[in-house]
Amino acid sequence: MNSTGRLDGLNEAFSKNFIAFGLCIIINCINGAFVYTYCKSEVLHRDPRYVLYIHLVINDMIMLTFSVALHIFTYTIPLTFAPCCIILLILLTTTKNSPLNLAGMAVERYIAVCRPLHHAQICTVQRAYALIALIWVVSLIPALTDIMVVLATQPLSVFSRIIFCYPSYLYNTPYHKAQSMAVQVLLFSFVVLTLIITYLKVLCAAQAASGSDQASARNARNTILLHGVQLLICTLSFISPLINIISLSIWPQGRTVMLFINYLLTELIPRLLSPLIYGVRDKKFSSLIRLHVFFKYSNSIENKMNLVAPWRKSKQVLQ
């Protein structure tokens, strides 16, 4: 979230909001194509792997929408405590959802390769939805705790006060800082350990397998390795304050420009790269995207041309 709000001139503020809004529309349209493909393909609904993947896409779309909305509100609409807390609640929750979702996807691939006989019983669609619900609960608890601490430590007048809606400004008590650090360390320690363990297990299975089993294990190993890349992308939003400090120390004169560039690179662009890398790489999903999105679009254009063609032919006959 960009915090340059009131430091920019009118033209600069308009340009930043226009860029952020445009990127939001483009990225959500691309990710929306993945969601549309999933909704149109019954075969994907029966695979927990794609249930978790599409949850990752939808989660990033929600995060992107509220992040850009908050960025625009910073320049246009003064926010009071209640709406700011709601926006931050959604943003902080969806930010933590992504790495936990990646850990769940890695475990599913590990079971598919190392426990293939039990995969159908363990990894069901119902359990995938239960895991998604658990992810939301785990991510929601720290965000709710932040709000409750503010309510317990601040006077009632805070509800009507116009505030600068940014986590470090609103949640600025020593408890908030300690809780934020502890949650981030525990969260990423758990996710990193999960990815490392599942990767090593699948790597051993790939070396011991032969034929088609070896190819399947190799694909699963590469998928888990890709989850690690996606995790690095997710960490950009958590280390954004550190990146801001380093970049501002290098170029203090361009404060507002550097903060906005960091906002684009750590908050907006990763919302496209993470789902796009996985969705395009997966052969089944990429083929279904071409079937339901691109072929349908080309067919609609062809149908329109066919509707116009008879009129052109009749006009030529009259001439």
Side-chain angles (χ1 to χ4, degrees):
M1 288 162 285
N2 191 18
S3 60
T4 62
R6 312 259 163 77
L7 301 177
D8 301 329
L10 181 61
N11 292 334
E12 186 176 355
F14 176 79
S15 299
K16 290 180 178 180
N17 286 324
F18 181 80
I19 293 172
F21 182 77
L23 283 176
C24 177
I25 297 299
I26 294 172
I27 295 173
N28 275 348
C29 286
I30 295 174
N31 289 340
F34 292 116
V35 178
Y36 177 81
T37 301
Y38 174 83
C39 294
K40 288 293 183 179
S41 305
E42 291 291 336
V43 64
L44 299 180
H45 297 175
R46 299 189 293 268
D47 194 332
R49 175 185 179 185
Y50 296 108
V51 173
L52 292 174
Y53 165 70
I54 210 64
H55 170 253
L56 178 67
V57 176
I58 294 174
N59 180 83
D60 284 349
M61 291 176 68
I62 295 173
M63 180 184 175
L64 176 64
T65 301
F66 278 88
S67 177
V68 172
L70 180 57
H71 180 272
I72 295 174
F73 290 159
T74 303
Y75 289 89
T76 56
I77 304 175
L79 293 177
T80 56
F81 178 82
C84 176
C85 282
I86 293 174
I87 295 175
L88 291 182
L89 177 70
I90 297 172
L91 280 176
L92 295 176
T93 301
T94 51
T95 301
K96 294 180 177 64
N97 281 347
S98 295
L100 290 174
N101 198 96
L102 291 173
M105 294 170 70
V107 172
E108 187 275 333
R109 286 294 85 197
Y110 157 75
I111 296 173
V113 174
C114 299
R115 300 289 188 271
L117 298 179
H118 302 88
H119 180 262
Q121 291 77 25
I122 298 175
C123 298
T124 63
V125 173
Q126 291 76 15
R127 289 184 176 179
Y129 285 122
L131 177 61
I132 291 172
L134 179 62
I135 289 173
W136 276 90
V137 171
V138 171
S139 300
L140 192 62
I141 291 175
L144 286 175
T145 305
D146 286 335
I147 296 176
M148 289 188 289
V149 170
V150 172
L151 293 177
T153 57
Q154 298 293 329
L156 294 178
S157 60
V158 72
F159 289 99
S160 58
R161 187 187 310 163
I162 295 176
I163 58 177
F164 188 72
C165 194
Y166 195 72
S168 60
Y169 288 90
L170 187 62
Y171 306 137
N172 55 6
T173 65
Y175 170 81
H176 286 120
K177 297 178 181 178
Q179 186 250 29
S180 176
M181 181 62 66
V183 169
Q184 290 185 25
V185 171
L186 290 174
L187 173 67
F188 279 96
S189 297
F190 169 76
V191 175
V192 170
L193 286 175
T194 301
L195 292 177
I196 292 175
I197 292 173
T198 54
Y199 180 81
L200 293 177
K201 291 284 187 179
V202 172
L203 180 62
C204 294
Q207 293 175 346
S210 60
S212 61
D213 292 336
Q214 188 177 23
S216 176
R218 190 184 304 110
N219 290 334
R221 182 195 63 191
N222 293 336
T223 300
I224 295 176
L225 187 62
L226 183 61
H227 292 336
V229 176
Q230 291 177 279
L231 179 63
L232 292 177
I233 295 174
C234 292
T235 59
L236 291 177
S237 60
F238 288 94
I239 64 175
S240 178
L242 178 61
I243 297 176
N244 287 336
I245 293 175
I246 296 175
S247 59
L248 292 179
S249 64
I250 298 175
W251 190 27
Q253 297 83 3
R255 171 182 170 81
T256 58
V257 176
M258 291 301 301
L259 290 177
F260 182 68
I261 292 175
N262 289 339
Y263 169 71
L264 295 181
L265 296 179
T266 60
E267 298 284 347
L268 299 193
I269 303 301
R271 306 285 77 79
L272 171 64
L273 294 179
S274 183
L276 186 61
I277 292 172
Y278 189 89
V280 172
R281 179 181 177 274
D282 188 271
K283 294 181 180 179
K284 181 187 293 186
F285 210 101
S286 60
S287 62
L288 289 173
I289 288 176
R290 289 194 295 269
L291 175 64
H292 292 288
V293 178
F294 296 108
F295 286 176
K296 185 174 181 179
Y297 177 72
S298 61
N299 288 337
S300 64
I301 294 177
E302 184 178 353
N303 291 334
K304 291 180 180 178
M305 294 299 294
N306 291 334
L307 290 175
V308 175
W311 176 81
R312 288 182 176 176
K313 291 180 180 179
S314 62
K315 184 176 180 181
Q316 292 175 357
V317 171
L318 291 176
Q319 291 176 348

